[in-house]
C-alpha cells in the first residue's frame, strides 16, 4: 500500500528516520557519558520504547501513571514518572506499578514525597526519588538548594524511598548553577547526588555542556517537529512524522480548507519567530494554516505562487508532534514511501 | 461516590443541567417552528443523541463519517454529515452508512457532489444533499447564489441524490441575505428549497429571526462552556461539564500548577474580551490559567486574594467544551453532586 492510499487525515511515521533519530541520540549520549532515559510522551508506543532500551537507554520517562501502566504492561522496566504525584489515588496506582517494575518519581513538595512513601509502603518495593528544581520553565520545581536539600533529607529517611538525585527542565545556565551549588551543599550534608537528570530535545545536543548532568530525558527527538527544527535541533529531513490531509474545499482562489483541524493537529502555535500557522505545509511552504477549527484547517494561499487543487493531498509537519500522537488512535508506519503497518498508539489519552 | 472521590483530571457532567439544556433548546425550536438537528460533536455520546431525538430532534448532525458510524451503530437514524466528503474512500464509507441509515451530506463543490453520488450508486440508497454557503465563517461554502444553484441543479439530476436545500454557519445578516436571494433565484429555476439549516449555539436563541431558516444545528448547548457564556447564550449555572483538576505543585506564593494541561483542556483560547486564560477556575475566578503544557496547567494567582492549597481540587469551566469530550476516553456523570456513572465517549477521536 502506498501512503497515497491511506484515508486522511492520518499521521504517518517514516521508520527509517525514526531509526536514525533514535541511534543519533543514543550515540550522542554514549559519546558524552550521559545516560539516556527517553520520554515516551512523544511516540506513546511500547515497541519504540523497547527499541530505545535495546539501543542503550537506561529506562524510560513517563509523564502520567497511565502511560507507565501501558509501558509496564508491555514489559518496560525502570520507569521515571517526571511529574508530581499527589494524593492516595496516585499512591495506590504507583504502588501497583512498583510491584512489577522499578519505579522512580520526581517530587517538589513534601506532599509528593508522602505520596511516594505511601506507595513504597503499600508495595513493599523501593521507589527512587528525584527532587525537581526550577531552571527557567517557571512551572514546577523547588526554587532553592535549601528546599532541595530538605526534600532530599526527607526522601532518604523513610524506609522504601531512595534519594537518587535531582531533575530539571530545561537545561541551560540556570540549571548548571543550581547543580553546582547543590553538589557543594549536599556534600556538606553527606547526601550523595547520584543522578542529575535534565530534559528537552531543543537543547539536547548541548546537554553535555551542563556540568554535572548524568542523564538526559528527551522525547521529541524520536520524530522531531517544526519546533525542534526551529530550535536548530533537527533538519527538516530528520522529521519522521507527517500528517497527511486532503484539500476538501477551495471556496476562493486564495483559500483552501483541509480535513485536519485541531482534532488532528491541536491548537498549539510556535513562537512567532519560529514559524507562522498551525503546521508547515511541506509542499507549499509559503502557504499558511491560519486557523483551525476542530475538523477544518483554513489555509491562506495568498503568499504561495502555486496553489493546491481540490482533492489534493498535503503533507504537514506538525508544530508540536507529541500532541498529534495523543490525538490519534493509531499511526501508519512507512519505509521508502510504502506503508508497512498501522500501530495503535497504546499510551494515548492517558490523562491520569 | 462523591465527585471528590474521582481521580483527577476528570470531566464530570451534571445530568440535571444536561436535561435542562436539552429541553430548553427543543422548547425554543418547537415554539418557533424550527426543526432541531443537534450536532453530536460536543457530547459524542450515543445515549445523549438518543435523548435528543426522544425530545423531538428530527435527526442528528455529525462532522465526520467515523462519528456517524458510531451513532448508526447505536441505532441513530437521519444523519447529516455537515462536512465536505471528498474522494472514493469517503464514498465507500458513506455508502456503508446509507445502507443502514437515512443520510444526507453538505457539499460546496462538484467533487463533493460526485462523492455523494458515488455513495448513493454503491449503496442503492437515496442520499440527501444540502449546499453549504458562506455566511461569515470564511471557511467552506459557496460564495454566490449562482454557484449554489448550479450545485442544486446537479444534485437534482443523478439518480440516488436528492436536493434538500441549503446549509450555513454562522447565522446572521449575511445568512439571511443569501437565503432570501436564493429563494427568489431557485423559484425561478423551479427548484424547491425544502430545508435551510443554520448552526451555532452562540446565536441559537435568535435563530428564528433569520427569515427562511427551517432547521437548527447546534451542539455546544448540551453542556455550554465559557465561550457560549461569553456570547450570552448561557449562564454559568447552565454549564453542565466541569473538568476537575488537582493542584500538584505550589512552587511560589503566586503560582499553582494543576494536573490539567492541553491534553485535558486543549490549547483553545477565547477572544481576549471573552476571558483570559485556558479555562475559568470556578472557585477562584480571579486566578488565571496562563499557560498549558501537555500535562501542566500553570495558574497565576497574583490577582486572586484567596489562593488554592497544594492538593486542593479545582473545578474548571472549559473555554471550549467540544474539544474536552474529544480528549477524554470517558466522562463521569453526576446528579446532585453525586457520581452516578462513567460513560465511554464512544465517538471521540473519530478524525476520519
Amino acid at each position: 500500500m502506498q501512503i497515497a492510499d491511506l484515508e486522511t487525515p492520518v499521521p504517518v511515521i517514516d521508520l527509517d528516520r525514526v531509526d536514525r533519530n533514535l541511534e543519533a541520540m543514543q550515540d550522542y549520549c554514549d559519546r558524552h557519558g550521559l545516560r539516556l532515559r527517553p520520554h515516551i510522551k512523544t511516540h506513546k508506543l511500547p515497541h519504540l520504547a523497547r527499541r530505545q532500551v535495546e539501543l542503550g537507554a537506561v529506562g524510560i520517562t513517563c509523564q502520567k501513571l497511565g502511560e507507565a501502566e501501558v509501558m509496564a504492561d508491555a514489559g518496560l522496566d525502570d520507569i521515571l514518572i517526571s511529574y508530581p504525584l499527589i494524593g492516595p489515588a496516585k499512591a495506590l496506582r504507583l504502588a501497583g506499578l512498583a510491584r512489577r517494575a522499578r519505579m522512580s518519581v520526581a517530587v517538589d513538595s513534601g506532599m509528593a514525597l508522602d505520596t511516594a512513601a505511601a506507595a513504597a509502603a503499600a508495595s513493599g518495593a523501593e521507589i527512587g526519588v528525584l527532587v525537581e528544581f526550577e531552571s527557567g520553565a517557571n512551572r514546577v520545581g523547588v526554587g532553592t538548594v535549601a528546599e532541595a536539600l530538605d526534600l532530599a533529607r526527607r526522601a532518604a529517611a523513610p524506609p522504601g524511598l531512595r534519594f537518587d538525585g535531582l531533575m530539571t527542565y530545561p537545561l541551560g545556565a540556570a540549571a548548571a548553577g543550581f547543580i553546582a551549588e547543590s553538589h557543594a551543599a549536599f556534600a556538606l550534608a553527606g547526601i550523595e547526588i547520584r543522578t542529575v537528570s535534565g530534559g528537552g530535545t531543543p537543547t539536547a545536543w548541548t546537554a553535555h555542556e551542563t556540568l554535572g548532568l548524568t542523564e538526559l530525558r528527551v522525547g521529541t527527538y524520536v520524530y522531531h517537529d517544526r519546533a525542534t527544527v526551529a530550535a536548530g535541533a533537527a533538519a527538516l529531513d530528520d522529521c519522521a512524522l507527517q500528517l497527511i490531509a486532503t484539500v476538501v474545499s477551495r471556496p476562493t482562489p486564495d483559500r483552501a480548507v483541509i480535513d485536519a483541524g485541531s482534532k488532528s493537529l491541536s491548537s498549539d502555535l510556535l513562537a512567532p519567530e519560529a514559524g507562522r500557522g498551525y503546521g508547515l505545509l511541506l509542499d507549499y511552504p509559503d502557504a499558511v494554516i491560519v486557523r483551525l477549527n476542530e475538523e477544518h484547517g483554513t489555509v491562506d494561499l495568498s503568499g504561495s505562487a502555486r496553489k493546491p487543487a481540490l482533492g489534493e493531498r498535503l503533507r504537514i509537519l506538525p508544530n508540536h508532534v507529541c500532541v498529534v500522537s495523543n490525538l490519534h488512535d493509531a499511526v501508519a508506519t512507512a519505509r521508502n514511501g510504502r506503508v508497512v503497518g498501522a500501530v495503535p498508539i497504546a499510551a494515548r489519552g492517558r490523562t491520569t
Side-chain angles (χ1 to χ4, degrees), chain A residues 7-302:
Chain A
E7 196 181 339
T8 66
V10 60
V12 181
I13 58 172
D14 179 319
L15 293 175
D16 294 316
R17 291 185 179 186
V18 166
D19 288 344
R20 209 169 67 204
N21 291 338
L22 295 185
E23 287 162 14
M25 191 62 77
Q26 187 64 54
D27 283 351
Y28 166 78
C29 287
D30 291 346
R31 276 203 312 281
H32 293 286
L34 290 168
R35 283 171 294 179
L36 178 60
R37 183 181 290 279
H39 206 310
I40 63 84
K41 77 191 177 80
T42 306
H43 56 65
K44 305 184 195 293
L45 298 173
H47 81 280
L48 286 187
R50 278 197 295 263
R51 179 71 187 137
Q52 288 168 315
V53 171
E54 284 166 12
L55 287 171
V58 296
I60 61 170
T61 309
C62 296
Q63 202 77 326
K64 288 285 176 99
L65 289 164
E67 296 175 335
E69 286 159 355
V70 169
M71 294 295 152
D73 287 347
L76 275 296
D77 192 19
D78 199 338
I79 302 173
L80 166 65
I81 308 281
S82 59
Y83 191 84
L85 300 174
I86 296 286
K90 305 297 183 195
L92 199 67
R93 289 173 68 194
L94 179 57
L97 280 163
R99 282 187 200 101
R100 56 197 180 114
R102 281 170 294 169
M103 296 299 302
S104 53
V105 296
V107 307
D108 74 344
S109 70
M111 202 178 278
L113 206 58
D114 292 344
T115 302
S123 66
E126 192 176 62
I127 293 174
V129 171
L130 295 177
V131 175
E132 183 163 8
F133 66 92
E134 163 65 34
S135 65
N138 289 314
R139 204 164 64 178
V140 302
V142 300
T144 65
V145 171
E147 291 170 89
L149 189 54
D150 178 54
L151 285 174
R153 278 205 185 92
R154 292 168 65 181
L161 294 187
R162 178 189 72 243
F163 173 71
D164 284 339
L166 304 175
M167 187 189 97
T168 198
Y169 166 85
L171 291 174
F178 197 103
I179 295 167
E181 201 187 324
S182 296
H183 270 294
F186 279 60
L188 275 175
I191 296 180
E192 192 189 358
I193 300 173
R194 283 185 302 272
T195 297
V196 178
S197 175
T201 294
T203 57
W205 306 113
T206 54
H208 65 285
E209 296 172 7
T210 301
L211 232 65
L213 194 77
T214 68
E215 180 178 287
L216 185 62
R217 300 183 327 280
V218 279
T220 312
Y221 80 102
V222 59
Y223 296 152
H224 285 295
D225 58 19
R226 206 175 173 210
T228 67
V229 170
L236 278 181
D237 282 350
D238 299 322
C239 293
L241 185 147
Q242 296 175 352
L243 189 86
I244 314 292
T246 298
V247 177
V248 295
S249 182
R250 285 289 273 109
T252 73
D254 281 342
R255 192 198 310 150
V257 176
I258 55 176
D259 60 357
S262 66
K263 259 177 70 178
S264 288
L265 286 167
S266 91
S267 306
D268 283 6
L269 285 165
L270 299 181
E273 68 280 10
R276 291 192 299 158
Y278 292 91
L280 177 65
L281 291 162
L282 289 163
D283 305 304
Y284 296 91
D286 297 324
V288 182
I289 306 174
V290 288
R291 197 172 72 242
L292 295 185
N293 298 102
E294 282 159 84
E295 307 285 9
H296 301 79
T298 301
V299 183
D300 176 4
L301 303 171
S302 60

